[in-house]
Structures are given as C-alpha cells and as structure tokens.
Amino acid sequence: MQHYLFCPMCTSPIVTKFLDGRDLDVCSGDCGFVHWNNPVPVVAALVYCNSQFILARNRAWPEGLFSLISGFLDAGELPSSAIAREVKEELGLDVLSCDFIGFYPLKKMNQIITAYYVRAEGTIFLNEEIADIKKLEKDSLIAFDFGPLKLGKVVVDDALLKGLISRV
Ligand SMILES: [Zn+2]
C-alpha cells in the first residue's frame, strides 16, 4: 500500500486513524482527506485467434513466464472497450467478441481484475510492452503451467467452467 507523509490536498502531516475497521492514512489538518486505498481496476484477456490461444510475456517479466494480455483503463472507458484496445495495441489483433469470464481481486497489487474471453483476428504484431508470445492449442492451454502467475490458471479454469473454451 502506498503511504503518504503529507496530505496531497493541503500538505498537512498524515496520521494513522482507525476508520471503518482498519488503519488508514488521514490528514491531520481540516481538509478531510482520507487515503482509502481503493483498488485499481485492470482488464485482462484470454485471447483466441486462428484456432489457438495466445499468451504473452511482458518485457518486465522473467524468461519463461507467460500470461493473459492485460492493461489499465483510460478515463471514461468501459472495461470491454479497454480490453479490445489493449489486445489491438499489444498484439495488433482486431477483437471480434468479448465474453465476460469473471472478477478477480489481486490483493497484493491492490487491483481488481476483470477478465474476458476474447476472440480476435488479424496478423500478430507485438508492441514494445510484449517480449514474446506463446500460441497454444486448447489442450496445451488447459495443461499450461502459469508458474507464479496463478491468476492465469484460475481464469482458464473459469472459462472452461463457463463453457467459453469448449465452444471453440
Ligand atoms: Zn489535508
């Protein structure tokens, strides 16, 4: 969790106060600022294109780690539009359909992830954020070891449960 030393509104020192059942950073002055530490929304996509699933490795990740395409929302953007934009930006693919898989709180990162099953078409063109991709057939995806990025496995399992994968 990000901590403030000084109030971002009025620059008074920040103090810790027990509010709504937890310790929070609050302004010691009169401005009323409370750092609620609300989670950041993130969108993620399990991408299916040309009869294969596409996982990606972010440049910041160690060799061998692959997971879903993900990104942040622009101001005023719908999550479904955000994921279509991210798939286009990161893989160069056009999104044909976008089916909701689930919401996943990632407490360690203070994020709430909205995951979609995305069918896409086009020619893959990676942007600078993506170091490498992995194309998998359905059986390989189901058996894929996401390593420490366990959320990918949970999303794949939920997509199976919802019948999104078996429809392909
Ligand atoms: Zn203040």
Side-chain angles (χ1 to χ4, degrees), residues 6-14 26-33:
F6 298 97
C7 177
M9 306 297 284
C10 75
T11 72
S12 298
I14 287 289
V26 301
C27 177
S28 63
D30 300 325
C31 86
F33 171 78

